[in-house]
Amino acid sequence: MSATTTPPPNTPSPAGTTPAKASTTTDAVIHEVFPLGNQWPTLDPFLFVAHHRDAYPAGTGAMGPDAPLDGREIGADFADIDGWNMYHGSAVPGFPQHPHRGFETITYVRHGLIDHADSLGAAARFGHGDMQWVTAGNGIVHSEMFPLLNRDEANPLELFQIWLNLPAADKGAAPAFTMYWSDVLPMIEHTDANGAGTSVRVIVGALGEHAPPAPPPDSWAARNSDVAIWHVCLDGSAIWQLPAAEEGDTQRVVYAFEGDHVSIDHERLDAGNGARVDATRQLTLVGGPGGAELLVMQGRPIAEPVARYGPFVMNTRAEIAQAFDDYRATGFGGWPWTVDDPVHGTDPKRFARRPDGRTDGPPVEL
């Protein structure tokens, strides 16, 4: 969800922030610990994780916030005034049209709704546990707006957007739009011997016998890559076993983003921190007294050079410059919408309209 299209500098920014606090114990299962900020540190093959959590007020008839916008930098509002942001939106919060090339966006929405539109002609309204997967490939333009449909009560929004890299061989793939409704993402419910519960939403990658639908065919996740994203909720003192990764070179990160703390094989990870952990072992997770919510992300590294600037992720600086030239020349197919920030009306019903015109939605509307 980056709208930056400034020409690249001489040196592109790195692929992600390197976790900074290394363990000194050779047999420790937690290898590095790092604080969670606005953008979470990642490991190859991931590039970026943003956890958006906005306490939006009641909405207007135009689906914007029914509150003064004084003091906000409209068009670039990330200051979290009153617990919410307009981001790049001017009337409705969100991210108006912007391009991407060379990677994929995975957007998992826990609360609230997102209105998607793109240069393929696809459109969607999704949320309440749904996940959207966009393969930018050779170039796509999309917008992600946050319509505030409740006019008599607050409109809380919580989502994760994750950028997954593409290997060089697939950066020129045709762009694609895929929706995964919440009912097809397995939910595992586990009760331990003491009666404490753990729930796991399987977003990407099989967890034991529980498998979500297949990833898009051009994704690194469609290879023998061991890519997985799991949302784990531990009750206070709940015990749950995180299985070892299937591949020996898989890298795994545990983000403790909510609650008290989690014990990982007797090593404490406080909420508000993430950790690179040993993926070769089965790990025993125990929720702290106040419980814990975790995002577990893993995958085999692509292990290629990364040149990244704004909305483009390639392998060389020359390819970044070419991406900007191509976008200026072609608009990545153009923008078929009459406005930069389309929203899809006041009906809260979730839907997806595919690039070929087919329309569907979740089997049960929440």
Side-chain angles (χ1 to χ4, degrees):
M1 293 183 180
S2 169
T4 304
T5 54
T6 307
N10 292 330
T11 304
S13 60
T17 306
T18 301
K21 195 164 122 187
S23 169
T24 57
T25 306
T26 56
D27 62 349
V29 297
I30 294 180
H31 293 171
E32 296 176 281
V33 176
F34 49 89
L36 302 182
N38 292 330
Q39 296 181 11
W40 298 352
T42 57
L43 295 172
D44 186 4
F46 297 100
L47 298 160
F48 172 99
V49 180
H51 182 203
H52 293 282
R53 186 158 42 186
D54 291 277
Y56 289 117
T60 66
M63 292 169 280
D66 189 9
L69 300 181
D70 301 341
R72 297 179 181 273
E73 186 178 353
I74 299 303
D77 174 32
F78 292 79
D80 206 38
I81 297 171
D82 297 327
W84 53 275
N85 302 279
M86 290 294 290
Y87 300 108
H88 294 305
S90 57
V92 176
F95 295 83
Q97 65 139 317
H98 55 281
H100 289 305
R101 173 181 277 188
F103 64 100
E104 299 183 286
T105 63
I106 298 170
T107 307
Y108 167 55
V109 185
R110 297 189 65 198
H111 305 290
L113 293 169
I114 295 182
D115 278 0
H116 167 91
D118 65 37
S119 53
L120 302 175
R125 169 165 286 173
F126 66 104
H128 307 308
D130 301 329
M131 185 265 282
Q132 178 207 71
W133 200 319
V134 172
T135 303
N138 196 40
I140 194 170
V141 183
H142 73 163
S143 68
E144 307 294 334
M145 306 307 297
F146 310 149
L148 308 183
L149 301 187
N150 296 328
R151 300 187 63 178
D152 299 320
E153 58 183 345
N155 288 273
L157 176 76
E158 183 180 7
L159 67 92
F160 298 88
Q161 185 168 92
I162 299 161
W163 289 12
L164 175 63
N165 202 8
L166 286 167
D170 295 314
K171 287 187 181 293
F177 159 86
T178 311
M179 275 299 312
Y180 300 81
W181 304 114
S182 60
D183 67 291
V184 303
L185 301 178
M187 176 68 83
I188 301 170
E189 301 287 354
H190 176 263
T191 302
D192 64 25
N194 298 316
T198 299
S199 64
V200 184
R201 174 72 76 178
V202 183
I203 303 166
V204 178
L207 182 54
E209 62 184 16
H210 304 278
D218 293 311
S219 176
W220 179 244
R223 310 297 187 262
N224 181 30
S225 60
D226 209 14
V227 169
I229 303 171
W230 304 319
H231 174 206
V232 181
C233 297
L234 295 156
D235 288 346
S237 303
I239 302 170
W240 182 72
Q241 303 294 328
L242 176 63
E246 293 185 358
E247 304 296 334
D249 59 345
T250 296
Q251 303 192 97
R252 176 180 283 171
V253 177
V254 174
Y255 301 98
F257 66 90
E258 189 67 57
D260 182 353
H261 70 269
V262 61
S263 170
I264 304 176
D265 270 20
H266 306 291
E267 297 175 34
R268 177 170 171 144
L269 179 66
D270 288 320
N273 293 277
R276 181 171 65 88
V277 302
D278 188 340
T280 67
R281 308 189 213 177
Q282 175 177 280
L283 302 177
T284 300
L285 307 184
V286 182
E293 288 196 52
L294 317 172
L295 196 68
V296 178
M297 291 174 41
Q298 68 175 42
R300 301 179 69 187
I302 295 173
E304 292 179 352
V306 173
R308 171 178 172 179
Y309 193 81
F312 306 136
V313 181
M314 305 301 292
N315 295 98
T316 68
R317 291 194 297 270
E319 290 170 340
I320 291 288
Q322 185 63 55
F324 276 94
D325 289 344
D326 291 347
Y327 176 60
R328 292 188 191 100
T330 70
F332 292 163
W335 185 244
W337 305 88
T338 58
V339 295
D340 291 338
D341 55 352
V343 290
H344 304 316
T346 57
D347 185 345
K349 185 176 181 180
R350 294 133 68 209
F351 75 94
R353 188 177 71 238
R354 316 290 172 165
D356 63 5
R358 291 179 301 117
T359 300
D360 66 276
V364 177
E365 188 58 54
L366 301 178

